[in-house]
């Protein structure tokens, strides 16, 4: 088990990257704390697999260093790093039995036969394949093969870290939940450093204590699910997390008020953004409908009842906006106005969150 | 779905049947015809029954040729298959050098058999051949026309030079079909180089290797031109393989009856072995297909 430090790390798949856009992974400094479970969340193609492969040594970064417990392993081969990684699509050794597949990483490290047998049995139980241990892996379903891949990832107890790269993509939904629970209990039991990559926010928010959000080759925010919800550091986090995502309004900011589509909005705190495109980000949960006409004029276009609450789709100055109302709330007729709860307003300049003046002080 | 039954559709197969009849069945029947008759010349034939077959089965000459043939095929398979795999494993995976290697390795395959024979015949000559001359100057006695060992080595090395590329190219194709993820997983699992070969590369190559073995076996089992050009089957009968012996018998001695019986048995042996290979291959596929 180890603390993993990324120091000035960046990677480009091009031999001579000249421009920032040539980097699949932009410069990154981060400590993965020993024994913590992280979810790495981001849209497809944002560099999640690239980052994992660099940590496990399958890929050499174009710049920067990786340290395990402060020991430089940037150029150490994968085997020496002793890391477990599970890939998005199943990889099994076809000619081996399920049992031999699970035992393979242990045997390669010269574990003694008694221990291997015992450990394989435990893992087989976790992935629910005890009855198929003596079967050849060839010919199993994708689902079963991926469970074997997961099992192979979990079988070694002494690994420095466990990396999961969207491991449940091919697993059916019911089993998904069960396996995720198994992974969590594995974490509780052994306290490995775990990084779980996913592009599904529910998966990320339920799996981990800390969520790392990536966007376009960059880590844009690291935080607890609550922090990501309340204080998205980047407009992408606001949009990507939450359902529906955060609403954005172009705004002109002067001190503690903003001008949005000709209406003055109270921000509840003073801001001094340093130029650039300024926007207000307000989650649907913090938008209040105000039938009496005070606030931003809005038009209700659709109401969706999703059970616990209602999602109200609005049109504000030609731009779509979502709001959330209580299950029993009465939705005003077509024309209404909206107000923002100051507690739920975030200010952005060029997509990055601007801290309020008292916060910064 | 309901299948439409229309027996007239069989007529569509007729052209192929006619073609195969003229190209294979009818010529084969003339051989069958010779194999059951005897002649004293002047184109007069009379019935001999299975006499030629029992004669051939009792003849040491055929058994010796068959023995040499099996040793030859066994030796070249034992060299070409592992060597081909080794070459394939060490070829570049992509880029200019990959294409370069592919072209280079295809060259021997494009050379006609008798030219290959001539190349090696000259190459090995002690007076003018680069190989023979060099060995001679190094003090190594090498004379493929008189020394049995030298003749065998020449014939085997020639076949290895000519055909290892085929095995290598097939094995290479098999290797190229392995997704990167397998190698990555093996690294994560800390597999040794041998384990990667044994559990990832070899299983993925198994199919094409069966084809390579089948092709190389059949082809070497019928080899004629190259050894004939180089050694003429000598010294003595040392490199007289089945085809060479057959031609000697049929054309050299004009023993049509025994030669026909011989070639029919030869044909049946090849058919039998091919069938065994085919069955094994189909079963391999089935295992893969589930
Ligand atoms: N082997 C590769 N060669 C070149 N470009 C690659 C390679 N792998 C990934 N990329 C590019 O790098 C970017 C990040 O990819 P990846 O790390 O796989 O994203 P993710 O796992 O988040 O979906 C993508 O734009 C992708 O096209
Ligand atoms: Mg990926």
């Amino acid at each position: 088990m180890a603390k993993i430090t990324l120091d000035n790390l960046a990677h480009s798949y091009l031999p001579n990257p000249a421009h920032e856009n040539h980097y699949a992974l932009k410069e990154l400094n981060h400590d993965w704390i020993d024994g913590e479970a992280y979810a790495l969340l981001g849209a497809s193609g944002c560099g999640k697999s690239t980052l994992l492969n660099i940590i496990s040594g399958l890929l050499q970064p174009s710049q920067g260093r990786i340290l395990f417990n402060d020991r430089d392993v940037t150029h150490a081969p994968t085997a020496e790093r002793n890391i477990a990684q599970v890939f998005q699509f199943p990889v099994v050794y076809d000619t081996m039995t399920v049992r031999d597949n699970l035992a393979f990483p242990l045997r390669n490290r010269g574990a003694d036969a008694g221990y291997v047998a015992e450990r394989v049995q435990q893992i087989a139980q976790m992935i629910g394949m005890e009855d198929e241990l003596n079967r050849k892996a060839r010919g199993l379903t994708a689902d079963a093969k991926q469970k074997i891949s997961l099992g192979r990832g979990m079988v070694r107890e002494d690994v420095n870290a466990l990396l999961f790269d969207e491991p449940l993509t091919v697993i059916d939904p019911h089993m998904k939940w069960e396996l995720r629970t198994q992974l969590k209990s594995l974490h509780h039991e052994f306290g490995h450093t775990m990084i779980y990559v996913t592009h599904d926010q529910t998966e990320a928010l339920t799996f981990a204590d800390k969520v790392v959000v990536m966007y376009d080759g960059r880590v844009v925010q690291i935080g607890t699910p609550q922090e990501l919800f309340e204080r998205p550091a980047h407009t992408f986090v606001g949009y990507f997390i939450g359902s529906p995502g955060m609403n954005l309004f172009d705004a002109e900011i002067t001190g503690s008020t903003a001008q949005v589509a000709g209406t003055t909005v109270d921000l509840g705190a003073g801001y001094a953004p340093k130029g650039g495109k300024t926007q207000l980000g307000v989650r649907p949960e913090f938008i209040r409908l105000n039938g009496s006409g005070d606030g931003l004029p809005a038009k209700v276009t659709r109401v969706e009842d999703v059970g616990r609450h209602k999602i109200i789709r609005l049109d504000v100055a030609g731009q779509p906006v979502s709001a959330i109302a209580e299950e029993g709330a009465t939705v005003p007729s077509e024309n209404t106005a909206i107000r923002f709860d100051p507690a739920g307003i975030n200010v952005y300049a060029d997509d990055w969150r601007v801290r309020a003046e008292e916060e910064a002080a | 779905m309901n299948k439409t039954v229309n027996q007239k559709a069989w007529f569509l197969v007729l052209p192929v049947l006619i073609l195969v009849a003229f190209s294979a069945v009818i010529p084969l029947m003339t051989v069958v015809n010779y194999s059951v008759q005897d002649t004293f010349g002047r184109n007069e034939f009379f019935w001999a029954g299975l006499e030629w077959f029992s004669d051939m089965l009792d003849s040491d000459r055929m058994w010796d040729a068959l023995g040499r043939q099996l040793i030859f095929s066994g030796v070249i398979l034992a060299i070409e298959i592992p060597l081909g795999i080794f070459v394939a494993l060490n070829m570049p995976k992509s880029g200019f050098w990959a294409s370069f290697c592919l072209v280079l390795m295809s060259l021997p395959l494009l050379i006609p058999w008798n030219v290959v024979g001539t190349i090696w015949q000259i190459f090995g000559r002690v007076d003018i051949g680069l190989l023979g001359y060099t060995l001679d100057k190094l003090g190594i006695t090498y004379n493929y026309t008189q020394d049995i060992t030298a003749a065998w080595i020449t014939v085997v090395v020639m076949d290895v030079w000519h055909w290892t590329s085929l095995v290598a190219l097939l094995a290479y194709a098999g290797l190229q079909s392995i997704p990167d993820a397998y190698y990555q997983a093996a690294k994560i699992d800390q597999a040794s180089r041998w384990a990667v070969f044994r559990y990832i590369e070899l299983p993925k190559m198994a199919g094409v290797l069966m084809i390579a073995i089948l092709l190389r076996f059949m082809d070497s089992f019928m080899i004629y031109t190259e050894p004939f050009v180089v050694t003429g089957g000598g010294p003595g009968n040392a490199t007289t393989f089945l085809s060479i012996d057959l031609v000697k018998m049929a054309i050299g001695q004009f023993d049509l009856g025994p030669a026909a019986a011989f070639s029919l048995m030869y044909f049946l042996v090849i058919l039998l072995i091919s069938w065994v290979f085919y069955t094994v291959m189909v079963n391999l596929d089935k295992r893969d297909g589930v």
Side-chain angles (χ1 to χ4, degrees), chain A residues 13 24 42-51 165-166 197:
Chain A
Y13 286 101
S44 208
C46 71
K48 306 182 295 291
S49 301
T50 305
L51 180 56
D165 194 350
E166 310 195 31
V197 168

Side-chain angles (χ1 to χ4, degrees), chain A residues 53 56 58 78-79 82-85 87 91-96 104-105 108-109 138-139 152 156, chain B residues 181-192 195-196 198-200 203-204 284 287-290:
Chain A
N53 291 345
S56 61
L58 296 172
T78 302
N82 197 19
I83 274 197
Q85 185 173 359
F87 303 95
V91 178
V92 297
Y93 305 106
D94 277 341
T95 52
M96 290 188 201
F104 192 58
N108 287 332
R109 286 178 71 73
R138 161 181 286 145
R152 274 210 327 275
R156 282 179 282 155
Chain B
Y182 279 80
Y183 293 107
Q184 296 187 334
K187 276 191 197 162
I188 296 286
D189 293 338
Q190 310 190 0
S192 61
V196 170
R198 171 70 187 76
Y199 296 113
I200 296 175
K204 290 281 176 191
L284 267 185
R287 269 198 314 169
D288 275 334
V290 202

Side-chain angles (χ1 to χ4, degrees), chain A residues 48 73 86 89 116 134 245 265 267 285 304 355:
Chain A
K48 306 182 295 291
V73 294
V86 179
F89 295 103
V116 171
N134 292 321
V265 175
L267 299 177
E285 289 81 353
E304 293 163 24
R355 294 202 287 178

Side-chain angles (χ1 to χ4, degrees), chain B residues 215-238:
Chain B
L215 286 177
R216 281 318 300 135
F217 177 80
M218 297 213 321
D219 214 49
S220 67
F221 206 74
M222 301 188 291
I223 192 168
Y224 175 75
T225 317
E226 300 111 299
F228 184 77
V229 172
V230 178
T231 63
N237 275 334

